Amino acid sequence: MAATDPQVLALAAQITESREQDIPLLLLKLKGILSSPSLGCEESNKIKQDIYDYGLTQYCLLVLKQDHSQLHGAWATAAQLAEILSHCCVGLEVKEDPEEFYRKFLPSVIDSLLVLGKRLQVRFIRAIKDKEKQDFLHWFQMVTNAICWLFGGHIQLAARVLQNDRFLQLLITDDVETAIVMMSVLHNILRINRAKREQELQHLTKQKEDEALKLQMQLQRQRAMRLFHERQLALLEVVHASQVNKYMQEMEEKSALTIQRFWRGYRARRIFHQQKQSLKEYKAAVIIQRAACKFLEKRRRRRPLSPWKEPKGLTDEQRLALQQKVDDYIKLHPASQMSEETSRELHMQAQAKLAQFLLRNRLDQRAAQRREALLAQVNTDVELLMNAPGLAETTEKDFGAFMSRSIPVATKARQAHNTMLKYTRWPWWKKLGDEFMEDDVIPDDAINTELETLFIGGRKSF
């Protein structure tokens, strides 16, 4: 048997040795014992059992039956004791003399709580000051909550609460605030009754289903036994008496194989369901990991590039090694040394040769232009001769054309003028690179155009 809780044992001894008027205040210590955060469900029920066994619960009930105005703390102490008493009774399973607990003690507790609630309701209605009304309303709510907690843990008390005259008196009141509280209590009672009725219906339904299942199994067993006996009788008629034992042994082996087959199938299905759940968990883990990897990859791509970092400087050893390589290369490939005067003289010679080349190039271009002009003139004269009329048809006007050079010159001037007009009308992007040309120098494209037009003679129309 488990040991008694030391706190409960010490409190019981203290109450036994104390005066009667000090007992209510000592009983309030039960609230701290019951609300200890280190207690579990089993430990809490064990402490409630110890409290009941040592008579502390009965002490609380006796105090509630006394005149509450004579207690230390008056109505506040009574409301707290009501709350403690309801918590001590809920979850308590009395093994010794349970008839006494369920048939006498619990109804007495519910009656005492209803009496206390009625007295607090009367005091609340009679109170004048707001502070007193708030206090009495608060204590009244504590008592009603204790009543709800009590019949919530012991459903059979709900019917006794509805049949109690004090409860009807609490409902029949003109005060709005206490009426609202009592309506909430009534709502809880109806909800618990409904839950109790549903629980009873479920119990009856389950009981009926169990009975039907038992009856069905019994009928199947009887049918199987009947079929077995019929087969035995048919076997005795067909099989020889000396072969009956052998046949029965074969049937037993077949039956054993059938049982083993069904058992293996059942075990395989159970293992499959277990593995199916594990497979689901594995697939879920894979999906989560895949999503997390994609998220991290996207986040990694969105990160800004790290700023450029300067390369690390050379160490002393690396600097010495690099300097040694440079010195070795200079020794293997020595550079020709030249004085400053020699370098300056060489530069002047290069400048002079470049100037001569440019001048010679300009003269060559002008000579080429002259040759092209003379060739064009020759071609024009040839064309004039080819197109000239015969001697019999020659007039004085035609003779003047061959004696005067004004027509070819005028033709050339007209062509050059048209070429310059076209050049000046070009867009700016066609004349890029011509900023450093002299004004009297005509571009090569213009010269070619001029020569081509001059080559075909004065017959070309402009």
Side-chain angles (χ1 to χ4, degrees):
M1 181 176 181
T4 306
D5 187 79
Q7 295 180 350
V8 177
L9 187 61
L11 182 60
Q14 191 176 1
I15 290 174
T16 305
E17 298 174 357
S18 300
R19 297 179 301 175
E20 185 178 354
Q21 57 269 23
D22 296 333
I23 291 177
L25 296 178
L26 293 174
L27 290 174
L28 294 179
K29 295 181 180 180
L30 291 173
K31 186 175 182 180
I33 297 174
L34 293 171
S35 60
S36 177
S38 61
L39 294 178
C41 183
E42 295 182 359
E43 291 83 357
S44 179
N45 294 336
K46 177 63 175 59
I47 289 177
K48 292 177 183 179
Q49 184 68 41
D50 294 340
I51 292 172
Y52 181 79
D53 292 340
Y54 279 88
L56 300 182
T57 309
Q58 291 81 349
Y59 266 114
C60 292
L61 181 58
L62 292 175
V63 172
L64 288 179
K65 291 182 178 181
Q66 297 177 5
D67 187 4
H68 307 99
S69 60
Q70 303 298 326
L71 299 175
H72 287 287
W75 301 104
T77 302
Q80 294 180 19
L81 288 175
E83 188 176 13
I84 292 171
L85 183 59
S86 64
H87 280 78
C88 289
C89 294
V90 175
L92 177 61
E93 295 181 0
V94 179
K95 298 180 180 179
E96 296 181 0
D97 198 5
E99 190 75 15
E100 177 72 18
F101 177 74
Y102 290 106
R103 294 293 181 89
K104 296 182 179 180
F105 183 75
L106 288 179
S108 179
V109 171
I110 203 71
D111 292 340
S112 299
L113 293 179
L114 291 173
V115 171
L116 178 59
K118 181 58 181 177
R119 291 178 181 177
L120 288 172
Q121 185 184 42
V122 172
R123 295 298 189 283
F124 171 76
I125 296 172
R126 293 179 182 177
I128 299 174
K129 297 180 180 180
D130 293 337
K131 182 66 170 61
E132 292 181 356
K133 292 182 75 66
Q134 292 178 0
D135 292 339
F136 279 113
L137 182 61
H138 175 65
W139 298 329
F140 180 72
Q141 289 176 347
M142 288 179 63
V143 174
T144 54
N145 290 335
I147 294 171
C148 294
W149 183 262
L150 186 60
F151 65 70
H154 300 280
I155 302 176
Q156 69 275 8
L157 295 176
R160 186 173 182 86
V161 172
L162 292 175
Q163 296 173 2
N164 196 295
D165 296 337
R166 297 288 183 181
F167 181 75
L168 298 178
Q169 293 175 6
L170 288 170
L171 287 174
I172 302 172
T173 180
D174 295 333
D175 184 68
V176 178
E177 296 181 357
T178 56
I180 293 173
V181 176
M182 292 308 301
M183 290 303 296
S184 65
V185 175
L186 181 61
H187 176 71
N188 290 331
I189 293 174
L190 296 177
R191 180 176 55 82
I192 290 173
N193 281 334
R194 189 181 303 111
K196 181 181 178 181
R197 190 178 300 109
E198 292 178 356
Q199 186 178 1
E200 291 177 352
L201 290 175
Q202 291 178 359
H203 179 70
L204 291 175
T205 304
K206 186 177 180 181
Q207 187 176 2
K208 290 181 180 179
E209 291 178 354
D210 292 342
E211 292 177 355
L213 182 61
K214 289 180 181 179
L215 181 60
Q216 185 178 4
M217 292 179 63
Q218 186 176 2
L219 291 176
Q220 290 179 357
R221 184 173 180 276
Q222 292 177 358
R223 187 181 299 110
M225 291 297 294
R226 186 175 64 252
L227 292 175
F228 177 73
H229 291 303
E230 290 178 357
R231 288 179 182 176
Q232 282 186 338
L233 293 175
L235 178 63
L236 292 176
E237 294 178 357
V238 175
V239 182
H240 193 269
S242 61
Q243 301 293 328
V244 171
N245 293 332
K246 183 179 179 180
Y247 181 79
M248 293 298 297
Q249 185 177 359
E250 292 178 357
M251 292 299 296
E252 289 178 359
E253 291 178 356
K254 289 182 180 179
S255 301
L257 291 175
T258 303
I259 295 172
Q260 290 178 359
R261 184 173 66 253
F262 278 99
W263 165 249
R264 289 170 183 170
Y266 167 75
R267 185 176 60 182
R269 286 191 298 270
R270 185 177 62 182
I271 294 173
F272 172 74
H273 287 300
Q274 294 176 356
Q275 293 179 351
K276 186 177 181 181
Q277 183 65 24
S278 302
L279 184 61
K280 284 184 179 179
E281 295 176 357
Y282 173 76
K283 289 183 177 179
V286 170
I287 293 172
I288 294 172
Q289 289 178 357
R290 187 184 298 115
C293 292
K294 289 183 179 179
F295 171 75
L296 293 176
E297 183 65 23
K298 290 181 181 178
R299 190 174 181 181
R300 195 180 299 112
R301 291 177 180 176
R302 292 178 182 175
R303 286 182 180 175
L305 297 176
S306 58
W308 180 80
K309 295 182 180 180
E310 296 182 358
K312 297 181 180 180
L314 297 176
T315 61
D316 295 337
E317 296 179 357
Q318 292 176 350
R319 191 178 291 105
L320 291 174
L322 184 61
Q323 185 65 34
Q324 183 65 33
K325 290 182 180 180
V326 172
D327 295 340
D328 295 341
Y329 182 82
I330 292 174
K331 289 180 181 179
L332 294 175
H333 305 84
S336 59
Q337 297 181 357
M338 184 181 297
S339 62
E340 185 178 356
E341 294 178 358
T342 307
S343 178
R344 188 176 301 172
E345 184 179 357
L346 183 62
H347 178 70
M348 295 299 294
Q349 292 177 3
Q351 290 291 334
K353 289 183 179 181
L354 180 61
Q356 291 177 5
F357 173 75
L358 293 176
L359 180 60
R360 190 182 304 110
N361 189 23
R362 183 64 55 81
L363 293 175
D364 293 341
Q365 288 181 359
R366 290 183 179 179
Q369 292 178 7
R370 182 174 179 79
R371 286 195 298 271
E372 295 290 340
L374 291 175
L375 182 60
Q377 183 179 358
V378 171
N379 292 329
T380 302
D381 292 341
V382 171
E383 186 177 358
L384 289 175
L385 289 174
M386 293 294 294
N387 296 328
L391 294 176
E393 299 176 356
T394 302
T395 62
E396 187 176 356
K397 185 178 180 181
D398 296 331
F399 179 77
F402 287 96
M403 295 297 295
S404 175
R405 307 298 298 176
S406 60
I407 293 177
V409 172
T411 302
K412 179 180 178 182
R414 191 181 302 111
Q415 292 177 353
H417 177 69
N418 291 334
T419 303
M420 290 302 297
L421 287 177
K422 291 181 180 180
Y423 177 73
T424 55
R425 292 172 184 173
W426 283 354
W428 62 271
W429 50 270
K430 281 190 175 183
K431 294 186 289 184
L432 291 176
D434 299 339
E435 290 85 354
F436 302 100
M437 293 177 60
E438 296 181 2
D439 296 337
D440 58 344
V441 178
I442 302 175
D444 294 340
D445 295 340
I447 293 173
N448 293 334
T449 304
E450 177 184 354
L451 295 177
E452 289 174 358
T453 55
L454 183 63
F455 175 77
I456 61 176
R459 300 279 181 173
K460 183 175 177 61
S461 60
F462 298 96

